[in-house]
């Protein structure tokens, strides 16, 4: 026999194939641990960026560049490690990472591309999505006209692409660049000279024929719409950076321009890109000049009887609920420039749009459009000087529009309007209004009234700031969310991205476990749901239905509804930096980083192709790596090879593969006793197994249809045949990956501890059985119910149980693993006897009573 | 007369955020420049009660700037802004007489508190100088 073996033995045996396999397993495990650490770091960087974005901090571009570089490197590392674990299954992620990284680099380098578009777009073709082509000013106007249906004068916009066409036609770019490249912007004399030269260069060039043609045509269309010769207001609209450049030039708006002068005014607007101030600004900010374009809007002049502005929030008193209207006779320009004292009306933004307060000014002079073009001062007729320049009805109409515009844009607006001779209102501009809210949520010590309310919780960490109030709703499983009430406070043991389904309805989220760097916390911040995590005991203390107020900013939960606190929350903290270039850029940067589109791993779109942000990639790699690791032990080796056998009284053959630190390094031999195992998850689990009496074969109920395999189990010696298949356990000191074959079903347990509670988890899957499907289903339900009692999130479908426990500290996990060991033995072949529902109930009760500590 | 703060930083964004927050939350007047070489000129033209400067700038660093400022006005207190990890230079700045330093990124509250602390000290300093001058006058009077 021995000789025969020799015949087939390879001549030059290399390393044992299983040695290699084990080495690969160890490498995968190492990669997995690193992936978890990197994942944590990525989430921390994202949290940090979001914190800075909230407006409490002052920072600079250097901070952004450094953090985004670090983030990008870490996300790349995640992709690399996942591919190491999965044998290069997810190469596609590299491409997606590269794409996002490129976009971020362009943003940070302030590289912009002027989009190709038509030379001219009439107002009916413009909305916010055209901002890159026509600038924010015109895009907002298009939004008012086409999305909100508000009256806006007819007109057209000359696009950024036209600017490029004009510059290219005269080959000006090279001349401009060479002058700018030699300029030291801190030398004011030079700056003025270069500015004058470039502007001269532009103004002396004729309009290209194609541009003249399109301007004539567009103007003709305007006159046809009006049925007469019209004058236009020309507005510059800078693109490719931010709003500050648009008034850096001196040609913000030129009023009352005749048709034949539009071309000339266009050149002036283009030249205004190169005022000394504007040059200093874009070079100083590191913009590439060639990517910044000047656009222009042309709109029909409204022969204004009166005009002015609306602030949808009173800047002097942001707490007031009313909009404030400043109005004067003639063109609203005087109100905008502050050259007259206007009438002021405070009007409600809600039906019935009542005038709440008004203050009248004496109006002696006004500005009007003069017949010869341009504008000039005129006397206000005597009988109009004293009274209000707007009727209650018109003020109401403006109040209604103010509410609609503010709602549409989602933040306070500064709106220009005009009133024509027939009392028709037109809107000329809307832009974000800076309102500084100095009110923050005060600390509990600053609000004496709070002492009247019992404090239910004062622990945990802030996941997302703010205050919310409502009834407590306890959720253990995703399916519980079906009944989640709008305005409820979600209380759960663990955070889960799956809670996102109720975030738009929730007024607060409180969990026992978790950290502010979790995916769920990022989602809560995105949805602005006040969130407290890691309270340890919220789900035990807070009774369902109880009305509470959550102050997430100070990690406190009060009993009852505290109006005083809620008021603070409703005055949503306005970020004072919101409109600064840095924050405008930051906002764009975050859209490529923070939003999480991949929430549910069971959804078909949970794939690399659907990753659109760094957060998506992070979520995908983390989830997928966990799944890849989970399946490692189901078939790691074809033959036992170098694996060690576990010394056990059970009929199971269990092979151990040490990934490092799982087994006493001094151990010699083939059979490992439990006391030689240093892996605490394995210790806890196996102690649970050993504490149970190994059950014999189950009595069969041959009345029902019992499967052939069940027969096998009942035959003498059948047990041994069933357990002849091997089970593998991969171990390290605080990791266990154990696929345990118990006859006809397979349980896989994967445990990770020791990386900080945020990363700790137990995954458990049970599948199969030897009985008919209805009985297997009953056993699965029994297992699922007990797992829920142990704190798992459980999914169950027929004979498949898929459960996960996360964020628990080691001691708690050891207890759960011990119980899981018991449960594994208890439910072995139990499907055979699951004749009816009563047995399921009885078995659950018995197990809980006898075996759950 | 409102007290004045001069802020020097080569990063326009930083200047802008600081200016926004100081003018929004305090009554101080703010002058900013992204060119440290302009500072002597500004100091000669105007009186400032506080100088806030970044430590790392391309043309001239914060320490050199302090030296330069002291030549013109040795009374003016300054606050140094440092990037995280350049604490050693901040310590050096403190040795050169900086009132305090603050590490980027910092909270709004933090800079406002630091400014308030300096301004209180500045008022005392001015009062002290005024009293001294008064005393000198009295002394001269009694001698005369």
């Amino acid at each position: 026999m021995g000789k025969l073996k020799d015949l087939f033995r390879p001549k030059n045996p290399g390393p044992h194939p299983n040695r290699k396999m084990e080495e690969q397993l160890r490498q995968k495990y190492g990669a997995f641990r690193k992936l978890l650490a990197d994942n944590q770091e990525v989430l921390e960087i994202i949290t940090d960026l979001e914190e800075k974005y909230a407006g409490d901090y002052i920072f600079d571009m250097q901070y952004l560049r450094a953090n985004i570089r670090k983030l990008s490197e870490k996300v790349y590392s995640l992709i690399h490690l996942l591919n190491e674990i999965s044998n290069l299954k997810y190469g596609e992620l590299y491409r997606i990472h590269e794409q996002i990284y490129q976009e971020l680099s362009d943003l940070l380098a302030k590289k912009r591309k002027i989009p190709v578009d038509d030379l001219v777009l009439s107002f009916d073709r413009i909305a916010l999505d055209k901002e890159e082509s026509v600038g924010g000013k015109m895009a907002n106007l298009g939004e008012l006209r086409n999305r909100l249906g508000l009256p806006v004068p007819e007109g057209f916009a000359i696009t950024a692409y036209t600017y490029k066409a004009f510059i290219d036609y005269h080959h000006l770019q090279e001349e401009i660049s060479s002058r700018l490249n030699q300029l030291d912007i801190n030398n004011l004399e030079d700056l003025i000279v270069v500015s004058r030269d470039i502007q001269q260069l532009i103004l002396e060039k004729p309009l290209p024929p194609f541009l003249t043609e399109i301007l004539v045509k567009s103007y003709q269309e305007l006159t046809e719409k009006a049925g007469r010769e019209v004058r236009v207001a020309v507005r510059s609209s800078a693109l490719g950076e931010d709003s500050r450049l648009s008034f850096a030039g001196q040609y913000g708006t030129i009023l009352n321009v005749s048709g034949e002068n539009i071309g000339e005014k266009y050149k002036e607007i283009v030249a205004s890109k190169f005022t000394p101030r504007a040059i200093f600004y874009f070079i100083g900010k590191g913009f590439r000049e060639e990517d910044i374009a000047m656009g222009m809007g042309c709109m029909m002049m409204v022969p204004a009887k009166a005009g002015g502005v609306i602030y949808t929030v009173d800047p002097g008193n942001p707490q007031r609920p009313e909009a404030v209207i400043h109005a004067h006779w003639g063109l609203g320009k005087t109100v905008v420039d502050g050259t007259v004292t206007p009438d002021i009306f405070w009007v409600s933004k809600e039906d019935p749009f009542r005038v709440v307060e008004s203050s009248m000014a004496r109006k002696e002079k006004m500005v009007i459009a003069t017949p010869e073009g341009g504008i000039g001062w005129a006397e206000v007729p005597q009988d109009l000087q004293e009274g209000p320049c707007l009727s209650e009805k018109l003020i109401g109409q403006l109040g209604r529009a103010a509410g609609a515009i503010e709602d549409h844009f989602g933040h306070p607006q500064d709106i220009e309007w005009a009133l024509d001779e027939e009392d028709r209102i037109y809107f000329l501009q809307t832009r974000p209004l800076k309102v500084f809210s100095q009110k923050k949520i005060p600390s509990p010590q600053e609000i004496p009234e709070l002492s009247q309310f019992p404090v239910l919780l004062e622990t945990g960490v802030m996941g997302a700031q703010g205050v919310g109030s409502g009834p407590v709703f306890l959720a253990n499983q995703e399916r519980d969310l079906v009944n989640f009430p709008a305005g409820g406070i979600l209380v759960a043991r663990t955070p889960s991205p799956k809670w996102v389904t109720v975030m738009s309805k929730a007024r607060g989220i409180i969990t026992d476990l978790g950290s502010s760097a979790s995916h769920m916390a990022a989602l809560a911040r995105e949805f602005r749901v006040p969130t407290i995590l890691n309270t340890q005991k919220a789900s035990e203390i807070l009774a369902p239905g109880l009305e509470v107020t959550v102050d997430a900013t100070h990690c406190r939960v009060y009993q009852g509804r505290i109006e005083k606190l809620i008021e603070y929350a409703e005055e949503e903290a306005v970020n004072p930096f919101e409109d600064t270039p840095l924050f405008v850029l930051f906002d764009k940067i975050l859209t490529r980083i923070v939003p999480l589109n991949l929430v549910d791993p069971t959804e078909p779109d949970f794939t690399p192709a659907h990753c659109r942000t760094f957060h998506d990639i992070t979520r995908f790699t983390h989830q997928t790596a966990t799944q890849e690791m989970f399946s490692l032990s189901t078939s790691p080796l074809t033959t036992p090879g170098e694996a060690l056998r576990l010394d056990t009284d059970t009929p199971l053959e269990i092979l151990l593969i040490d990934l490092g630190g799982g087994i006493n390094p001094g151990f010699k031999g083939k059979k490992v006793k439990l006391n030689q195992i240093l892996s605490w998850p394995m210790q806890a689990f196996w102690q649970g197994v050993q504490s149970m009496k190994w059950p014999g074969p189950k009595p069969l109920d041959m009345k029902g249809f019992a499967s052939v395999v069940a027969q096998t189990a009942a035959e003498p010696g059948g047990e041994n045949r069933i357990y002849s298949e091997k089970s593998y356990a991969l171990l390290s000191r605080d990791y266990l990956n154990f696929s345990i074959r118990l006859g006809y079903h397979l349980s896989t347990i994967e445990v990770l501890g020791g990386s900080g509670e945020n990363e700790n988890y137990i995954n458990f899957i049970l599948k199969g059985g030897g009985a008919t499907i209805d009985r297997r289903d009953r056993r699965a339900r029994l297992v699922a119910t007990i797992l829920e009692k142990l704190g798992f999130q459980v999914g169950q479908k027929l004979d498949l149980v898929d459960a996960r426990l996360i964020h628990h500290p080691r001691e708690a996990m050891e207890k759960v693993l011990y119980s899981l060991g018991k449960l594994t033995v208890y439910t072995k072949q139990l499907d055979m006897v699951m004749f009816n529902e009563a047995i399921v109930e009885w078995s659950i009760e018995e197990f809980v009573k006898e075996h759950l500590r | 007369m409102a007290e004045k703060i001069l802020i020097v930083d080569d990063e326009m964004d930083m200047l802008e955020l600081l200016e926004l927050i100081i003018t929004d939350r305090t009554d101080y007047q703010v002058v900013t420049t992204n060119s440290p070489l302009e500072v002597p000129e500004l100091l000669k033209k105007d009186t400032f009660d506080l100088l806030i400067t970044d430590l790392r700038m391309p043309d001239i660093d914060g320490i050199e700037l302090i030296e330069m400022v002291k030549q013109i006005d040795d009374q003016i207190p300054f606050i140094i802004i440092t990037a995280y990890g350049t604490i050693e230079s901040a310590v050096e700045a403190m040795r050169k007489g900086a009132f305090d330093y603050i590490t980027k990124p910092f909270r709004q509250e933090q800079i406002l508190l630091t400014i308030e602390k300096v301004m209180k000290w500045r008022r005392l300093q001015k009062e002290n100088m005024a009293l001294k001058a008064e005393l000198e006058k009295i002394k001269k009077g009694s001698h005369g």
Side-chain angles (χ1 to χ4, degrees), chain A residues 48 51-52 55-63 65 110 185-186 244 280-281 284-285 434 436-438 440 575-577 580-583, chain B residues 9-14 16-18 20-21 23-26 33-38 54 59 83 103-111:
Chain A
D48 190 63
E51 178 185 61
K52 301 295 175 285
D56 273 350
Y57 280 83
I58 293 177
F59 55 90
D60 53 15
M61 278 300 289
Q62 195 39 46
Y63 162 84
R65 286 198 188 98
K110 300 181 179 166
I185 53 168
N186 292 313
R244 286 190 304 180
F280 180 86
Y281 170 74
K285 295 223 52 83
K434 280 188 192 175
F436 293 128
S437 150
Q438 301 204 9
K440 282 204 173 125
N575 174 355
F577 303 142
T580 61
L582 183 67
F583 272 76
Chain B
D9 197 319
D10 59 309
E11 279 252 17
M12 301 271 285
D13 293 310
M14 197 73 186
E16 186 169 33
L17 299 192
L18 277 169
L20 249 172
I21 211 68
T23 48
D24 180 39
R25 305 270 302 269
T26 72
T33 174
N34 70 339
S35 163
L37 298 170
E38 251 191 352
D54 193 9
D59 308 336
T103 346
K104 294 189 275 198
F106 47 84
R107 280 181 180 276
Q108 291 177 26
E109 300 302 326
Q110 211 182 338
I111 187 78

Side-chain angles (χ1 to χ4, degrees), chain A residues 80-311:
Chain A
H80 187 69
L81 293 163
L82 173 63
N83 278 304
E84 197 174 323
I85 294 164
S86 66
N87 303 327
L88 309 178
K89 269 194 223 165
Y90 303 100
E92 191 184 351
L93 287 170
Y94 287 112
R95 190 185 50 76
I96 296 165
H97 174 277
E98 178 55 31
Q99 198 181 330
I100 297 171
Y101 178 66
Q102 206 43 62
E103 284 172 11
L104 288 170
S105 302
D106 285 353
L107 281 170
L108 287 168
K110 300 181 179 166
K111 264 197 226 161
R112 310 283 304 246
K113 282 282 164 279
I114 294 173
V116 175
D117 207 329
D118 291 350
L119 297 172
V120 165
L121 293 171
S122 70
F123 280 0
D124 56 358
R125 293 176 57 198
I126 296 174
L128 272 183
D129 58 332
K130 281 286 180 194
E131 191 173 352
E132 295 282 304
S133 264
V134 299
K137 236 187 240 180
M138 291 302 125
N140 282 349
L141 211 53
E143 195 73 8
L144 289 188
R145 182 190 190 279
N146 302 318
R147 296 268 161 80
L148 277 164
L150 290 169
V152 166
E154 289 294 348
F156 56 88
I158 302 172
T159 63
Y161 188 65
T162 311
Y163 167 85
K164 190 172 175 343
F166 173 73
I167 295 286
D168 289 351
Y169 180 85
H170 291 297
H171 309 292
L172 287 172
Q173 191 56 59
E174 208 170 310
E175 300 220 37
I176 292 171
S177 296
S178 72
R179 283 174 169 80
L180 290 177
N181 291 343
Q182 292 162 27
L183 172 68
D184 167 13
I185 53 168
N186 292 313
N187 182 330
L188 195 62
E189 284 87 8
D190 281 4
L191 186 62
I192 290 167
V193 170
V194 167
S195 159
R196 200 184 47 220
D197 281 3
I198 296 177
Q199 291 193 319
Q200 199 60 44
L201 207 62
I202 290 165
L203 293 171
E204 69 192 14
K205 295 282 184 288
L207 271 197
F210 62 83
L211 188 48
T212 308
E213 194 184 322
I214 188 91
L215 288 181
V216 168
K217 186 169 160 284
S218 303
Y219 177 73
Q220 259 170 354
E221 282 168 10
L222 271 191
T223 55
E224 280 161 22
K225 279 177 187 161
R228 58 185 165 82
E229 279 287 300
V230 289
R231 294 285 176 90
V232 293
V234 169
R235 284 172 177 249
S236 66
S237 188
L239 294 105
E241 32 66 74
D242 58 73
S243 56
R244 286 190 304 180
L245 200 55
S246 54
F247 54 85
Q250 52 199 332
Y251 307 108
T253 301
I254 309 167
L255 296 172
N256 209 23
V257 176
S258 63
E260 66 268 19
N261 280 334
I262 294 176
E264 213 41 48
K265 294 297 171 208
Y266 176 71
K267 285 198 301 185
E268 285 178 22
I269 295 277
V270 169
S272 78
K273 180 184 147 180
F274 298 97
T275 60
R277 228 177 98 186
I279 294 174
F280 180 86
Y281 170 74
F282 59 67
I283 292 187
K285 295 223 52 83
F287 284 112
R288 295 178 0 142
E289 174 277 324
E290 59 264 44
D291 295 334
I292 297 176
M294 284 304 278
M296 180 171 111
C298 274
M299 64 166 90
M300 249 185 242
M301 272 301 285
V302 177
K305 180 167 89 174
V309 296
I310 312 170
Y311 299 122

